[in-house]
Amino acid sequence: MATLDQCRAALDRLAQNLSSADGSVRQAATFDRSLSCRITDLDVTFLGRLSDGTIQEVTSVPGPPPHKADIRLSMAGDDLLALVDGELNFAKAWGSGRVKLEAGLRDLLRLRTLL
């Protein structure tokens, strides 16, 4: 089982990957949206903003998200690590229910380039 520190490091790597991306990936990440990522097995939620092509202002709170973010993810810690490391395909994980994603239709269309 992934630890809280490993999940935080994975989110930091994801933010770094987004900030160094170019082309359509970088363009897709330039919108400004609130973001929550609930790690179900650790009962913790990471909160932040997807802005200027990266994930900013990341904090963690125990339990479920305290408010509804524009983009909401939910998964086990091991799945977060596997996604960021490229070992788990997002579309397959989402389709099988291992990863849950909730967002408006416009955001979902823009996120498909990122994920």
Side-chain angles (χ1 to χ4, degrees), residues 35-41 45 65 69-77 79-80 83 88-103 108 111 115:
L35 176 69
S36 69
C37 182
R38 177 147 168 73
I39 307 301
T40 55
D41 56 336
T45 301
D70 297 320
I71 301 168
R72 300 166 303 280
L73 292 160
S74 179
M75 68 193 81
D79 290 336
L80 173 64
L83 282 170
L88 180 62
N89 178 281
F90 180 83
K92 289 180 182 179
W94 186 29
S96 69
R98 286 175 66 179
V99 173
K100 293 180 176 55
L101 170 64
E102 297 177 66
L108 287 173
L111 286 169
L115 306 171

Side-chain angles (χ1 to χ4, degrees), residues 32-49:
D32 185 28
R33 296 288 185 269
S34 60
L35 176 69
S36 69
C37 182
R38 177 147 168 73
I39 307 301
T40 55
D41 56 336
L42 296 176
D43 193 28
V44 67
T45 301
F46 290 95
L47 305 169
R49 288 209 74 77

Side-chain angles (χ1 to χ4, degrees), residues 44-67:
V44 67
T45 301
F46 290 95
L47 305 169
R49 288 209 74 77
L50 182 60
S51 179
D52 296 325
T54 190
I55 301 170
Q56 303 175 356
E57 305 169 17
V58 177
T59 60
S60 63
V61 295
H67 58 275

